[in-house]
């Protein structure tokens, strides 16, 4: 005769609800974690790009020859500055493209005295000392102004940071709701099985044995629901990524999905099931100790 090692835990409405809740929670969690990864990677990419680029501005004086001389002098200064890998004056058409969206039409922009812009990029593995560049320009080209995008970058990073905090808060909220649901479902199951548990105690069963049965059921219920929720979540992520790629004409959106990213998303149901397992185990042990 083999020894029975499982407790016949009857399904309750709370247990069935736990599966559906896990499916919904994992769906929201996957979207939140995906957004967190995208924002974190995009912020890093934009920070690297902007800190490696400096713009020199020269206001139009109305004298084309004088403007050309000042541009040539600014280019000479920029190219001789340590850390600079490339410096080139932007074409008038490119400047118009930058200004036109802020005006009513491109024709209006063309009638304005547009400044001359010089794009300065850092050499690979180097940084541009903007203070030194500005000092050199002040000596040779006093009219030149250096824009290191610092204020704009600070605001952009702050925006991304706020979005990352919000996504992390959503994940924390999901964990809290899941733990609360497991506690409620487990206590409901204990109430249904109270007579069976009393008999097992009389037969010498330990609290840990009983707790493991409820924990196993909660973990399986959560894992089943989480796997069902993972499938539409991944489909949604792929759909959003495809739509973003189409809107940008196939250009990268600042995030490249790697194998470990997908592995992290795939591991989320297992993590949620482990949390449910541990929560149910602790809940049963605490409840049984109180009943003694």
């Amino acid at each position: 005769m083999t020894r029975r090692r499982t407790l016949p835990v009857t399904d309750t409405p709370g247990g069935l609800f736990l599966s559906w809740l896990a499916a919904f929670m994992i769906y929201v969690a996957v979207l939140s974690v995906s957004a967190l990864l995208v924002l974190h990677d995009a912020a890093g990419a934009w920070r690297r790009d902007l800190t490696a680029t400096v713009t020199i501005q020269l206001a139009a004086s109305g004298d084309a020859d004088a403007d050309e001389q000042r541009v040539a002098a600014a280019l000479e200064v920029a190219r001789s500055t340590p850390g600079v890998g490339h410096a080139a004056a932007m074409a008038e058409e490119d400047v118009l493209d930058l200004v036109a969206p802020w005006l009513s039409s491109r024709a209006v922009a063309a009638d304005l005295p547009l400044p001359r812009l010089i794009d300065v990029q850092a050499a690979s593995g180097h940084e541009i000392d903007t203070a030194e560049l500005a000092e050199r320009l002040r000596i040779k080209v006093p009219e030149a102004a250096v824009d290191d995008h610092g204020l704009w970058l600070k605001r952009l990073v702050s925006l991304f940071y706020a979005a990352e905090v919000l996504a992390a808060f959503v994940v924390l909220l999901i964990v809290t709701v899941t733990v609360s649901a497991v506690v409620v479902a487990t206590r409901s199951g204990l109430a249904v099985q109270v007579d069976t548990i009393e008999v097992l105690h009389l037969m010498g069963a330990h609290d840990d044995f009983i707790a493991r049965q409820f924990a196993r059921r909660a973990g399986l219920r959560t894992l089943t629901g989480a796997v069902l929720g993972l499938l539409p979540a991944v489909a949604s992520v792929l759909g959003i990524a495809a739509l973003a790629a189409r809107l940008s004409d196939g250009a990268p959106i600042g995030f490249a999905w790697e194998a470990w990213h997908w592995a992290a998303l795939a591991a989320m149901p297992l993590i949620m099931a482990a949390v449910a397992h541990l929560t149910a185990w602790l809940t049963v042990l605490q409840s049984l100790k109180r009943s003694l």
Side-chain angles (χ1 to χ4, degrees):
M1 181 177 180
T2 59
R3 182 180 178 183
R4 187 179 183 87
R5 292 184 176 274
T6 58
L7 176 66
V9 181
T10 305
D11 282 332
T12 62
L16 297 176
F17 172 74
L18 182 60
S19 295
W20 288 106
L21 180 66
F24 176 74
M25 289 292 101
I26 202 69
Y27 181 86
V28 178
V30 168
L31 295 183
S32 300
V33 171
S34 299
L36 186 62
L37 292 173
V38 170
L39 291 172
H40 182 76
D41 191 83
W46 283 45
R47 187 185 297 111
R48 289 190 299 270
D49 291 343
L50 289 178
T51 52
T53 303
V54 173
T55 302
I56 299 175
Q57 303 179 26
L58 292 166
S61 64
D63 186 341
D65 293 335
D67 289 343
E68 288 298 330
Q69 293 177 1
R70 290 189 300 160
V71 169
L75 282 173
E76 182 181 356
V77 171
R79 290 167 180 168
S80 63
T81 301
V84 173
H86 174 76
M90 295 181 61
E92 183 179 355
E93 292 296 321
D94 295 332
V95 177
L96 283 173
D97 291 338
L98 291 176
V99 177
W102 303 98
L103 302 174
S104 59
S105 66
R106 186 183 177 89
V108 174
D111 293 335
L112 297 176
L114 297 177
R116 298 296 302 273
L117 301 180
I118 298 176
D119 181 44
V120 182
Q121 298 180 2
S124 178
H126 294 77
E127 293 184 1
I128 301 175
D129 188 342
T130 55
E132 180 180 355
L133 176 60
E135 180 62 22
R136 290 188 174 198
L137 288 171
R138 187 185 65 82
I139 297 174
K140 290 192 174 183
V141 192
E143 302 86 353
V146 178
D147 181 9
D148 62 355
H149 314 291
L151 179 60
W152 189 82
L153 176 61
K154 183 178 179 180
R155 292 176 178 176
L156 177 67
V157 172
S158 298
L159 176 62
F160 276 127
Y161 177 73
E164 289 180 28
V165 171
L166 178 60
F169 175 76
V170 171
V171 174
L172 179 61
L173 183 62
I174 290 171
V175 173
T176 303
V177 172
T178 302
V179 169
S180 301
V182 171
V183 171
V184 173
T186 302
R187 289 178 177 175
S188 175
L190 280 172
V192 173
Q193 299 287 340
V194 62
D195 294 334
T196 304
I197 292 174
E198 289 181 359
V199 172
L200 289 173
H201 275 152
L202 292 174
M203 296 174 61
H206 297 289
D207 289 349
D208 183 68
F209 167 77
I210 299 172
R212 281 189 280 111
Q213 312 311 310
F214 281 91
R216 183 180 296 112
R217 176 56 63 91
L220 290 175
R221 277 291 183 188
T222 303
L223 180 61
T224 301
V227 170
L228 292 177
L230 179 65
L231 300 178
V234 171
S236 298
V237 171
L238 292 175
I240 294 173
L243 179 60
R246 290 184 57 187
L247 292 176
S248 62
D249 296 327
I253 307 300
F255 182 73
W257 289 99
E258 299 179 6
W260 76 268
H261 294 128
W262 293 111
L265 297 184
M268 291 180 64
L270 296 176
I271 296 174
M272 182 174 287
V275 171
H277 186 281
L278 179 61
T279 301
W281 181 70
L282 293 175
T283 300
V284 173
L285 287 180
Q286 186 179 25
S287 298
L288 292 179
K289 288 181 179 180
R290 289 180 178 178
S291 65
L292 293 180

